[in-house]
Amino acid sequence: MGKVLVCCEKPIQMNQLVAPFPHKKVGDHILVEPCKIFPDSAVFISAVGHILELYNPGDYDESLKSWEIKDLPIVPRPFKLKVIPSKTRSLQTFRKFLKDPSIKEIINAGDSAMEGQLLIDEILYYLGNKKLVKRLWTSSLTKNGVETAFKSLKSNKEYNNLYQAGIARQRADWLIGINTTRALTTLMGEKGLNITMNAGRVQTSLMGIVYQRELEIETFESESYWDFYIFTQFKNGTITAKWFNDKESHIFNKEAALLVRDFCQNKSPKVYSIEEKEHIVKPPQLFSLSTLQSKANKLYKFSSDRVLKLLQSLYEKWKLVSYPRTDSCYLTAEEAATLPDILRKLNELDDYKPLLNDAMKDIAEDKRYVDSSKVSDHFALLPTEDISNYSFISSEERLIYDLIVKSVIAAHYPDHIYQSREMILSIDDQFTFKANGKVITQNGWKQLYNKSLDEQKDTELEMKMLPLVHEGETGILLSHSLEEGYTKPKPRFTDGDLIKIMSNAGNWVREKEDFKNKELVLGTAATRHEIINKVKDKYISVQDNQVYLLPAGRVLIEALGANSYLTSVLTTGRMERYLDDIKNGKASVDDFLKRTEKMSLIVLNELKEKSKTWNFSEQLIQDIGPKEIGRCLSCGGTLLERDKFYGCSNYSANNCTFSIPKQKAGVTITKVNIEKLLTNGTTSLIKGFKKNGKDGTFSAFLVWDSIKQSIVYKFQ
């Protein structure tokens, strides 16, 4: 077999994969001693995320460093990769061991997803690797999960289509992003709007939906209505019923409402009809990443990005859950077979032991949970059989873990059953009134959930049963009330709603055209939070979990056009399906990119034409243009806030390059700290800076070094 080189995606993942084996840290790698899995030893190395990136336009041609509309569209032939400057050391480690003659076999141990496949494969191709490559694929980082995965290696060639789909996505996003961003920014600059207008096929489709909802809210005209209630005494009790007819449940004319009230005075309501029905509510499906993000946002107001970070910690650090970036709510038969062991381990935890007594149902054959045909790369989120770290997790991690655990326990519980009764009362056969009631006959799986947190608490968990009456029975009208109300616009989206929309955007197709797959998706489970983060604070703001459209977001969509290629859900959804076809070996990268090139050209020509009619107001230019934040520490000029940094206004006049990034080493530098830096020459102590190429973080001040003429770290 020979010595094996295991290529991991990031250091924390490498540490988890090597943990079950005898090993020691040696400089830039981890050496595994000879053992059953690696009889001739192994070397584990790690990237630090992507260490290669596509060329920028200026890398292909020096003249393309400046943004000119005449140079568009930019279509590289061929596309080229380069090393990210800060990742050079990582690439050198890969090169060293790939050339090591003692290494006989390579294992691609990137994350078990398209991006993980691309990340490691592109390094191997870039460095010209000729050695045999196998693929490690695991959704669990527990000792048993890792050992099983290393015993079940496949040829990396079997995952080539996944790599090809990764290439297609990467290059298509480059083509659309570079060309559309440059075109929008340049054309808007000609109109006096000096702002970088980033655009991409997924984020602009999402922004188109947010824009549409904003228009609906802005143009909504509230109407008054009146609800008329009667309170009727029957032999076995009192019934409260509300006026309705076949078309409406409200009365929209006050005079008409008063006429109904006056007509009903001193009349005797009669039971016109009674309908009783049993409702069986099955336990909820298991969670995918997107459904968990949406649920956690609804319950705890966690952003999608926050949920993923908590999940990643539960997966990588604590080994308590399966692979997070899954788009499936189903299990394979193989995974379903592990559920009894998982439940037995959960029974050892005091928090869950009382809940497992009624978890008796066998779901191995239940298609609601177990369906291999609906599992692509990864199965639904599950707790692992390793509970040893449970007591160490944070309170927020516990909330996320609890949702996953209870979804699995609930699947093994009886159904929730309730009886509903609907009564129609009439007065002189002229006006009808409706009363509804229900009572729970079997609580089933719902007993697992705190009533105050259940999203259906106001309906299915409300125990209320109407008194026993009979059709034709007449009652006595005790009193009545007429209440005024107002129609409301559709609610603003929440952060969780954005995830739901991207997971199934079929309901937002504006084009009058049939499409086969109603489950059109925007992005993937792994990238949706990143897309939302990209549009936050520039195109949308999220306040108290409510999404608001910012002026730049309005300009973006109105400039592109509400029905353009890039704002079309249908266009983006088709591209996602095409990528799936590439992944399944049914389509080629070349054909996909040719279509993307054609679309980019159409969008470019449309923008050129539409820009002739753009007319931005002075107020709008002021609202979304660069904001003055203080004085430049280098030359004394005006420091302006831009998209990703604060830069000196004298850059063009005297080539002043002073700038402060908005994000540094993984930490967002707040405006408060920027102001302190400009005023006092130093920020407050900032925590959480990530170490370059290593695990862990550090704390430091950012200070202005007048000798070096730059911002530097200063440690306590």
Side-chain angles (χ1 to χ4, degrees), residues 73 81 95 97 111 149 165 212 224 287 297 311 330 351 571 602 682:
L81 289 167
R95 179 182 282 114
F97 284 106
D111 271 358
Q212 188 61 38
S224 296
F287 284 115
N297 177 259
L311 264 178
Y330 297 88
D351 288 340
T571 299
I602 291 172
T682 179

Side-chain angles (χ1 to χ4, degrees), residues 525-553:
T527 61
R528 285 174 193 136
H529 73 288
E530 296 173 0
I531 300 300
I532 293 172
N533 282 346
K534 282 182 180 178
V535 300
K536 275 182 182 177
D537 299 327
K538 181 166 185 177
Y539 297 140
I540 63 172
S541 68
V542 181
Q543 302 169 26
D544 296 327
N545 204 34
Q546 302 290 300
V547 175
Y548 294 84
L549 184 70
L550 293 175

Side-chain angles (χ1 to χ4, degrees), residues 233-251:
Q233 178 69 54
F234 289 93
K235 180 180 178 181
N236 292 323
T238 304
I239 292 176
T240 301
K242 177 175 168 289
W243 175 94
F244 82 105
N245 64 23
D246 291 340
K247 296 180 181 179
E248 300 285 355
S249 60
H250 304 299
I251 305 171

Side-chain angles (χ1 to χ4, degrees), residues 405-677:
V405 168
K406 284 184 178 175
S407 74
V408 174
I409 297 176
H412 293 79
Y413 258 63
D415 297 334
H416 173 76
I417 303 173
Y418 67 95
Q419 301 284 339
S420 70
R421 180 180 291 175
E422 180 181 275
M423 292 184 188
I424 307 298
L425 308 183
S426 69
I427 292 183
D428 286 359
D429 295 328
Q430 292 294 313
F431 298 109
T432 51
F433 300 81
K434 184 184 293 184
N436 292 293
K438 65 186 66 176
V439 66
I440 295 171
T441 56
Q442 177 176 285
N443 206 10
W445 61 270
K446 289 210 170 187
Q447 64 189 281
L448 295 174
Y449 295 93
N450 186 322
K451 182 177 178 180
S452 65
L453 294 181
D454 193 285
E455 63 182 3
Q456 300 184 49
K457 63 181 180 296
D458 295 326
T459 54
E460 293 176 6
L461 285 185
E462 180 185 357
M463 295 185 69
K464 170 188 169 188
M465 198 60 184
L466 298 175
L468 183 63
V469 296
H470 305 284
E471 288 186 8
E473 184 176 344
T474 300
I476 300 170
L477 184 63
L478 298 175
S479 62
H480 53 70
S481 69
L482 190 62
E483 299 178 6
E484 184 178 7
Y486 301 90
T487 57
K488 297 178 181 179
K490 292 178 181 178
R492 290 191 172 277
F493 294 132
T494 65
D495 192 290
D497 288 333
L498 298 184
I499 287 289
K500 276 187 180 179
I501 290 166
M502 297 176 78
S503 302
N504 183 358
N507 294 330
W508 303 92
V509 174
R510 288 192 297 271
E511 296 85 344
K512 302 299 181 183
E513 184 177 345
D514 292 332
F515 52 95
K516 293 179 181 178
N517 183 2
K518 291 189 180 295
E519 290 189 352
L520 292 176
V521 298
L522 303 180
T524 66
T527 61
R528 285 174 193 136
H529 73 288
E530 296 173 0
I531 300 300
I532 293 172
N533 282 346
K534 282 182 180 178
V535 300
K536 275 182 182 177
D537 299 327
K538 181 166 185 177
Y539 297 140
I540 63 172
S541 68
V542 181
Q543 302 169 26
D544 296 327
N545 204 34
Q546 302 290 300
V547 175
Y548 294 84
L549 184 70
L550 293 175
R554 184 183 299 275
V555 169
L556 173 70
I557 301 305
E558 291 181 352
L560 285 167
N563 294 309
S564 76
Y565 270 102
L566 288 189
T567 56
S568 165
V569 171
L570 191 56
T571 299
T572 305
R574 283 174 172 164
M575 292 182 76
E576 293 292 345
R577 290 206 303 271
Y578 208 115
L579 288 168
D580 280 341
D581 286 342
I582 294 172
K583 187 165 64 174
N584 295 321
K586 298 177 182 178
S588 73
V589 175
D590 288 344
D591 287 345
F592 178 74
L593 291 179
K594 284 176 183 176
R595 293 188 180 202
T596 306
E597 290 171 15
K598 188 179 295 185
M599 187 183 77
S600 298
L601 182 59
I602 291 172
V603 170
L604 175 62
N605 290 333
E606 284 181 349
L607 282 173
K608 288 179 181 177
E609 191 62 32
K610 287 175 182 174
S611 68
K612 296 175 183 177
T613 61
W614 291 347
N615 185 21
F616 304 125
S617 68
E618 288 297 324
Q619 183 61 49
L620 184 62
I621 292 173
Q622 184 177 339
D623 285 344
I624 67 176
K627 304 290 191 303
E628 181 176 341
I629 194 167
R631 310 310 299 174
C632 171
L633 293 175
S634 181
C635 74
T638 301
L639 193 67
L640 299 175
E641 180 181 3
R642 301 189 182 276
D643 293 338
K644 296 182 179 180
F645 66 96
Y646 302 92
C648 183
S649 61
N650 287 333
Y651 174 76
S652 300
N654 60 19
N655 201 32
C656 179
T657 58
F658 177 81
S659 68
I660 307 170
K662 288 187 175 181
Q663 275 215 335
K664 188 172 179 66
V667 175
T668 299
I669 312 303
T670 65
K671 279 190 179 181
V672 172
N673 267 319
I674 295 295
E675 290 166 357
K676 286 182 178 179
L677 179 62

Side-chain angles (χ1 to χ4, degrees), residues 286-287 292 314 320-321 339 342-343 345-347 349 351-353 355-356 359 381-384 387 390 393 397-413 448-449:
L286 303 177
F287 284 115
L292 182 68
L314 288 168
L320 285 169
V321 301
L339 289 174
I342 291 172
L343 293 178
K345 295 301 290 185
L346 291 173
N347 198 44
L349 299 175
D351 288 340
Y352 299 110
K353 188 172 184 176
L355 306 180
L356 287 159
L381 287 165
L382 289 179
T384 66
I387 59 170
Y390 176 70
I393 61 178
E397 289 169 337
R398 196 174 299 271
L399 290 173
I400 299 301
Y401 183 69
D402 185 70
L403 286 174
I404 296 170
V405 168
K406 284 184 178 175
S407 74
V408 174
I409 297 176
H412 293 79
Y413 258 63
L448 295 174
Y449 295 93

